């Protein structure tokens, strides 16, 4: 089973991924945790290019295509082989991020990105996606503490509120009436969110 997590930056999705991995491993399930962009030698190099704030002159089209290139390598090298070997693959972001961030956020044609993702992703689409939803105002509350711990923001995290508003609205539009998407209130306590995720996965027999 392929499970992806989506959300705005600082939504807490990475925390939920770690909790879910621990939960599944405690049940003796084989789990592969990956992140986007990244996950392979090539994809990690692309990640460095994408997130380096020195690359502030990167155009939106380059950003989109670099994400797509990183994803293509990750699918072929990690996702498909692990699924074929019976692993549960947990991904910190996947193709919905391109539609929300580069489509609705940057203003690139959503139809073009959908076609590009069909070319890149093919059949390697998540069986279920958890969207940890937080209001944009919450980003700023969480950002200061997180960036202090990590030593600064990356290139995308430096984006302004109006960008994140468009991204969040894009996510909600993408996920409207999609049965494979589970929208979770990211303002709930961490353990309550984790329990909600586990309950949903139990419906799939996980």
């Amino acid at each position: 089973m392929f499970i992806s997590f989506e959300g705005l930056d600082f939504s807490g999705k990475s925390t939920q991924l770690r909790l879910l991995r621990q939960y599944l491993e405690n049940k003796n399930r084989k789990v592969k945790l990956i992140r986007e962009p990244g996950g392979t030698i090539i994809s990690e190099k692309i990640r460095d290019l994408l997130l380096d704030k020195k690359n502030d002159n990167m155009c939106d089209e380059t950003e989109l295509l670099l994400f797509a290139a990183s994803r293509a390598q990750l699918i072929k090298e990690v996702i498909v082989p692990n699924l074929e070997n019976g692993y549960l693959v947990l991904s910190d972001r996947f193709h919905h991020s391109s539609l929300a961030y580069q489509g609705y956020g940057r203003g690139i044609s959503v139809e073009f990105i959908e076609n590009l993702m069909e070319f890149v992703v093919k059949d390697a689409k998540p069986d279920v996606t958890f969207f940890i939803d937080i209001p944009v105002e919450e980003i700023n509350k969480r950002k200061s503490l997180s960036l202090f711990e990590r030593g600064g923001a990356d290139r995308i995290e430096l984006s302004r509120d109006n960008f994140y508003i468009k991204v969040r609205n894009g996510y909600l539009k993408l996920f409207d009436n999609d049965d494979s998407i589970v929208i979770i209130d990211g303002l709930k306590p961490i353990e309550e969110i984790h329990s909600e995720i586990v309950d949903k996965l139990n419906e799939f027999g996980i």
Side-chain angles (χ1 to χ4, degrees):
M1 190 173 190
F2 184 16
I3 304 166
S4 66
F5 279 67
E6 296 284 353
L8 301 178
D9 298 315
F10 312 104
S11 63
K13 59 183 174 47
S14 300
T15 297
Q16 292 302 323
L17 273 159
R18 289 193 295 270
L19 290 173
L20 181 59
R21 177 177 65 177
Q22 183 179 15
Y23 168 81
L24 292 170
E25 288 177 342
N26 287 342
K27 293 185 68 175
N28 297 316
R29 301 302 299 267
K30 297 193 298 183
V31 180
K32 180 64 176 179
L33 178 61
I34 57 177
R35 67 176 182 177
E36 278 221 326
T40 74
I41 292 175
I42 292 172
S43 300
E44 288 293 333
K45 290 181 178 179
I46 295 174
R47 179 185 181 89
D48 290 341
L49 286 171
L50 280 164
L51 301 186
D52 190 344
K53 55 190 174 186
K54 294 177 183 177
N55 295 329
D56 57 356
N57 62 338
M58 182 181 295
C59 72
D60 297 340
E61 292 80 4
T62 297
E63 180 181 271
L64 169 65
L65 295 173
L66 284 173
F67 271 112
S70 173
R71 185 169 298 131
Q73 191 69 28
L74 182 63
I75 290 168
K76 185 157 290 189
E77 193 173 332
V78 178
I79 295 175
V80 170
N82 276 278
L83 289 172
E84 290 176 346
N85 286 320
Y87 278 77
L88 286 164
V89 177
L90 311 180
S91 183
D92 191 339
R93 299 196 180 284
F94 202 60
H95 69 296
H96 292 112
S97 284
S98 289
L99 290 161
Y101 275 74
Q102 284 74 52
Y104 290 97
R106 302 294 191 207
I108 298 175
S109 166
V110 172
E111 181 180 1
F112 173 79
I113 298 176
E114 287 175 338
N115 291 332
L116 177 62
M117 289 304 101
E118 284 296 323
F119 171 73
V120 170
V121 176
K122 299 181 174 66
D123 294 329
K125 294 180 179 178
D127 297 291
V128 61
T129 296
F130 291 100
F131 174 54
I132 312 298
D133 184 32
I134 60 171
V136 173
E137 296 78 15
E138 183 68 16
I139 292 177
N140 296 319
K141 295 179 183 178
R142 299 182 181 188
K143 183 182 293 187
S144 298
L145 177 59
S146 178
L147 296 187
F148 175 77
E149 294 173 345
R150 289 195 285 117
D154 63 41
R155 187 180 64 86
I156 294 178
E157 289 171 345
L158 291 171
S159 301
R160 298 181 182 276
D161 286 358
N162 62 339
F163 171 73
Y164 281 116
I165 290 171
K166 289 187 287 186
V167 171
R168 180 173 183 255
N169 290 339
Y171 269 126
L172 294 174
K173 186 173 182 179
L174 287 170
F175 296 161
D176 188 33
N177 297 320
D178 189 332
D179 292 337
S180 70
I181 308 298
V182 180
I183 299 177
I184 295 179
D185 181 358
L187 297 180
K188 293 180 179 179
I190 291 173
E191 287 301 329
E192 187 176 336
I193 293 173
H194 173 63
S195 295
E196 192 171 335
I197 291 168
V198 168
D199 289 344
K200 179 57 66 173
L201 290 178
N202 285 339
E203 296 177 12
F204 291 94
I206 300 300

